[in-house]
Amino acid sequence: MAGEVAPARRAVDPAERAWWLVGLALVAMLVVTDIVAQRQINGAFGIGAVVAAFWCSPLRTLAVAVVATVASVGSGVWHDDLGEPAWTVRFLTCLMLCAIALATATMNQRRRQQVQRTQLLAQQVLDALAVELTGARTVKEVADGFMGHAVAVLGAKSAMVLSLDPDEVLRTVTWDGRRGHGADQFQEVPLSSDVPGAVAAREGVDLHYRSVREIEAAFPSLAGYYTTELSLHVLPLRRGDETLGLLALTFPPGSFGPAEDGFLHSLAGALASALRRAHELQLADAATQRTALLAEASMTLSRSLDMEATLAEVVRLLVPRFADWCAVQLLRDGELETVAIQHRDAETTEWARSVGDAFPTNTDAPSGAPNVVRTGRSEIYTFISTDMVDAAAVDDEHRAILRRMGFTSAIVAPLRGRDRILGAVTLIHAESGRRYSEEDLTFLEEIAERVALALDTAATFEQQSERLAGVTLVAEAAQRAILAPPPPRVGPLALTARYISAGVEAQVGGDLYELVARPTSVRLLVGDVRGKGLGAVRTATVVLGEFRAAAAGGGDIAEVAREIDQRLVPYLPDVEDFVTGVLVDIDHDGRFSIVSCGHPPPVLVTADGEVRTIDLDHGVPLGLGTDPEPTHGRLRPGDRLLLYTDGLIEARSPDGSFVDPAPFLSALVDAPAEAALDDLLDSLKEAAGQSLDDDLALLLACFDPQP
């Protein structure tokens, strides 16, 4: 059969050899008695083979039988009655005893081999399960791990594990070898039904049927269900007096006989222990996940005021750690609109989104999200039956889709805003096989409160943003007006600049850049005004004007910074306000001087591909009494100097971690000057999820003395 275990080479048993010698000695003793006593007893010579048969292999028993047979013939020779009727009767008696001995030895050997095979199977299966299940932490993982070994090692045609739920229904956890539409009827088996599994679980007894005829005789309702000959073994999974579920196995005919029923019983016991342990681990892991998710949700859901970003964060938090499916529905114009849906598999998620519009939500449904939104009360479905799935379907096509998804458990909780119910969030377990509990319901209600608050805040902000759109656009236009694009070339420098605003919540900031051309050099400024809005734009205008005036003079770049600092103070709205900035003076021969007033240092990209940050002696920001020390260096043809505001180094990825811009800066080496900053911004936005949390100004100076 499939999975047959090859017997190991049999070692010689000292006890077997001893009994073999006893058999030979007994034959020899009878022969001596026959000769010495002159009384023919050759019919008894076969007793030696019979004695050997109880302990020896058929081969050794045959050896004793041959000796006894030869001796019986010899008795006829030395008694001179060979072939006579009396001798013949005794000779036949000897042959009969030898035949009985050989049959006994053969039967004993088969029994020993069967025991050895069972022991070897048990060891292989249990060893494999021990390795397989070491890392399993859910009931489904344990059951799936067992399935693979039950089929591969035991040679089972099919293997099925069912759990006994509190509503006294056996539900399929996993099934290997499932065949045909008729198998669907055993996905759920009420304990009261008259089928082998229900009877075994109800009565707590193992059931073994060696043929389809036996099965149909005991359960006429199954007539015709099995189309091929097999044996069926149904074993309750019990721990103490509690029945956890059921193990059902089928094998080719004759694979497992009554002698191996005990092995199957032990196997079911080992599986029950593993399932119990997995169930306990599953509960502990769920409790840990609930605590971790609540903490993470409290931190991350308040991070963004964007509705789409908030919804994306909700489904990211819950799938797959707490659900196989997550759906968020919002009440809009009296209808429930599914605004987010997520499955643990990306392709399945896309498929669900594509078919979602074909099956709109029935707002009058007596259960599920519509009822939760109407009543404000959560719902939990610890077990989702096929009847419940069918009741939720709008037509046959929808029913087939829902059945294929294999839903096992679900929770629906309302999203309570400040003054109304916004919608509902639904969590579903499917292929993981997990079940929700009352503790999970309490957890989801707490998550739903945080989600609703975040969505309500985002919606309110969007409304306020629309009202402030006019003012914002005016401020943005003013800022862009003061940040005119630099000329493409000034002296030996090719110049390009970019400015982008952050999200709507930070539409206008005080990032700035400027340049002043002198007869022998070009002076550059990039800065950042503390604060946002029109006040920041006004301060930026002052800084730019003071830079133009100071940079045109004859002092060095440090003196320019000190002049701006002194002139700026009267224009700062508050004593705590300031402006960070980095100022650069680049001579036409490539020599440069740089000062930093509390601002990130420039990045030097050399012609040979080296990217490094220039080490500076940082002074305090402008407006706070700065007195910076300049740092000097020299640009070589092809070198590029990038000045930037902190939006470049403080961009965050969707998971909240900072984006490292270093990999993007190397692209500045070969890109044309006019496109280099666009490529940098595209890479940064992609890493940050297409949005930045702060404004960003970039100014790139490319030293090219011979254009």
Side-chain angles (χ1 to χ4, degrees):
M1 71 174 185
E4 184 70 46
V5 178
R9 184 175 180 180
R10 187 168 170 268
V12 177
D13 186 355
E16 178 184 347
R17 178 177 294 177
W19 281 99
W20 177 59
L21 294 175
V22 168
L24 290 175
L26 182 57
V27 173
M29 186 176 62
L30 291 173
V31 169
V32 171
T33 301
D34 182 276
I35 296 172
V36 174
Q38 289 296 309
R39 184 175 179 181
Q40 196 169 33
I41 57 172
N42 62 303
F45 292 176
I47 295 176
V50 172
V51 171
F54 285 103
W55 296 96
C56 297
S57 67
L59 184 60
R60 288 181 177 271
T61 302
L62 177 62
V64 177
V66 169
V67 172
T69 303
V70 171
S72 183
V73 173
S75 176
V77 174
W78 61 68
H79 285 290
D80 197 22
D81 61 349
L82 186 65
E84 293 183 4
W87 173 87
T88 301
V89 170
R90 287 190 292 270
F91 178 73
L92 292 176
T93 301
C94 178
L95 289 179
M96 181 181 68
L97 290 174
C98 290
I100 293 173
L102 285 172
T104 301
T106 301
M107 183 175 61
N108 288 342
Q109 184 182 53
R110 288 178 178 174
R111 185 180 298 112
R112 285 193 297 269
Q113 289 177 344
Q114 189 176 50
V115 171
Q116 290 173 355
R117 172 180 171 274
T118 301
Q119 291 174 342
L120 185 58
L121 276 175
Q123 192 62 47
Q124 286 184 338
V125 173
L126 295 179
D127 287 349
L129 283 177
V131 174
E132 180 75 23
L133 304 182
T134 298
R137 301 189 66 88
T138 69
V139 170
K140 186 69 163 58
E141 288 174 351
V142 169
D144 286 342
F146 173 81
M147 285 296 97
H149 294 293
V151 173
V153 179
L154 300 181
K157 294 184 65 174
S158 68
M160 184 179 188
V161 176
L162 302 95
S163 64
L164 180 58
D165 295 324
D167 59 351
E168 294 194 332
V169 175
L170 290 162
R171 291 186 172 87
T172 301
V173 177
T174 188
W175 190 344
D176 191 290
R178 182 169 176 238
R179 297 288 186 272
H181 297 294
D184 290 336
Q185 63 183 295
F186 297 118
Q187 289 288 98
E188 294 181 356
V189 181
L191 204 59
S192 58
S193 59
D194 186 29
V195 294
V199 173
R202 188 169 62 239
E203 299 181 2
V205 297
D206 298 348
L207 297 179
H208 302 277
Y209 301 97
R210 311 298 170 186
S211 66
V212 172
R213 179 178 298 177
E214 287 186 22
I215 300 172
E216 294 179 349
F219 300 95
S221 62
L222 295 180
Y225 176 76
Y226 295 105
T227 57
T228 59
E229 191 59 38
L230 49 75
S231 64
L232 171 65
H233 307 265
V234 186
L235 308 108
L237 301 174
R238 295 176 61 83
R239 291 292 294 163
D241 296 332
E242 181 185 7
T243 299
L244 307 178
L246 190 76
L247 170 63
L249 300 165
T250 64
F251 295 97
S255 300
F256 276 79
E260 294 168 308
D261 291 348
F263 159 67
L264 294 178
H265 180 85
S266 299
L267 191 63
L271 177 59
S273 298
L275 290 174
R276 169 59 71 188
R277 171 183 172 275
H279 179 68
E280 293 170 352
L281 288 174
Q282 195 169 295
L283 293 178
D285 289 346
T288 302
Q289 285 282 17
R290 287 193 294 266
T291 302
L293 279 173
L294 279 175
E296 187 176 352
S298 300
M299 178 181 65
T300 61
L301 289 177
S302 60
R303 182 176 296 161
S304 175
L305 293 174
D306 179 72
M307 181 76 73
E308 295 298 325
T310 300
L311 291 170
E313 185 65 15
V314 171
V315 296
R316 185 196 69 81
L317 282 170
L318 296 173
V319 178
R321 288 184 289 178
F322 204 71
D324 296 325
W325 287 92
C326 176
V328 179
Q329 295 171 286
L330 297 182
L331 194 60
R332 293 176 175 174
D333 300 326
E335 299 290 334
L336 268 179
E337 179 182 342
T338 301
V339 294
I341 188 168
Q342 184 75 31
H343 183 260
R344 60 172 55 238
D345 176 67
E347 292 184 3
T348 304
T349 298
E350 292 302 318
W351 168 81
R353 291 171 180 169
S354 67
V355 302
D357 293 339
F359 305 104
T361 302
N362 178 12
T363 55
D364 297 325
S367 61
N371 188 54
V372 168
V373 170
R374 283 196 305 270
T375 63
R377 292 192 297 271
S378 302
E379 294 180 356
I380 180 171
Y381 302 94
T382 307
F383 316 108
I384 298 180
S385 66
T386 53
D387 291 340
M388 295 169 61
V389 171
D390 293 344
V394 298
D395 55 31
D396 291 341
E397 180 185 0
H398 194 206
R399 181 181 299 105
I401 291 175
L402 293 179
R403 283 191 174 186
R404 188 176 65 188
M405 291 178 174
F407 299 149
T408 60
S409 188
I411 312 178
V412 189
L415 296 172
R416 299 179 184 276
R418 293 179 177 85
D419 55 0
R420 61 192 175 91
I421 292 179
L422 305 177
V425 56
T426 301
L427 301 184
I428 300 174
H429 279 318
E431 57 268 33
S432 69
R434 293 178 288 179
R435 310 281 189 187
Y436 288 116
S437 63
E438 291 295 332
E439 291 82 0
D440 297 325
L441 176 60
T442 302
F443 159 78
L444 182 59
E445 289 176 338
E446 294 182 18
I447 286 288
E449 290 180 4
R450 291 161 171 76
V451 173
L453 177 61
L455 292 176
D456 209 1
T457 301
T460 301
F461 180 80
E462 286 184 358
Q463 295 171 359
Q464 294 173 345
S465 298
E466 291 176 0
R467 290 195 295 269
L468 295 175
V471 175
T472 301
L473 290 175
V474 170
E476 185 179 23
Q479 186 174 33
R480 292 192 179 278
I482 67 173
L483 297 179
R489 188 174 185 85
V490 177
L493 298 181
L495 299 168
T496 181
R498 294 292 185 272
Y499 170 81
I500 60 171
S501 298
V504 175
E505 65 269 22
Q507 183 76 26
V508 178
D511 290 14
L512 55 93
Y513 62 82
E514 185 59 287
L515 66 91
V516 172
R518 303 174 73 244
T520 60
S521 70
V522 179
R523 289 180 169 177
L524 309 175
L525 166 68
V526 167
D528 188 358
V529 179
R530 178 178 180 269
K532 302 288 183 183
L534 289 173
V537 175
R538 184 178 71 87
T539 302
T541 304
V542 173
V543 173
L544 293 174
E546 297 300 340
F547 172 71
R548 295 185 192 104
D556 64 11
I557 198 67
E559 180 62 28
V560 172
R562 288 190 287 270
E563 288 187 27
I564 297 173
D565 177 80
Q566 295 171 2
R567 297 175 183 179
L568 177 63
V569 173
Y571 297 98
L572 293 175
D574 190 273
V575 294
E576 295 183 354
D577 286 342
F578 57 82
V579 179
T580 67
V582 63
L583 294 82
V584 184
D585 188 7
I586 303 176
D587 292 339
H588 288 182
D589 62 1
R591 288 177 297 174
F592 64 80
S593 300
I594 303 176
V595 295
S596 170
C597 303
H599 198 83
V603 171
L604 176 63
V605 182
T606 65
D608 56 6
E610 180 186 2
V611 179
R612 60 182 175 87
T613 300
I614 297 178
D615 293 329
L616 299 179
D617 184 4
H618 291 275
V620 300
L622 299 168
L624 299 180
T626 190
D627 186 17
E629 290 293 330
T631 296
H632 305 286
R634 185 164 193 151
L635 298 177
R636 301 187 181 279
D639 288 353
R640 298 181 175 189
L641 197 63
L642 175 67
L643 286 67
Y644 57 89
T645 56
D646 57 9
L648 177 67
I649 57 177
E650 294 184 359
R652 291 180 180 267
S653 63
D655 64 6
S657 61
F658 284 106
V659 174
D660 181 9
F664 315 138
L665 296 175
S666 59
L668 297 176
V669 176
D670 300 320
E674 61 275 9
L677 293 184
D678 291 331
D679 295 342
L680 173 61
L681 287 173
D682 289 343
S683 299
L684 186 66
K685 288 180 179 179
E686 181 179 357
Q690 303 302 323
S691 65
L692 300 177
D693 294 333
D694 198 2
D695 298 342
L696 175 59
L698 301 171
L699 180 59
L700 182 65
C702 305
F703 185 60
D704 185 13
Q706 295 180 350

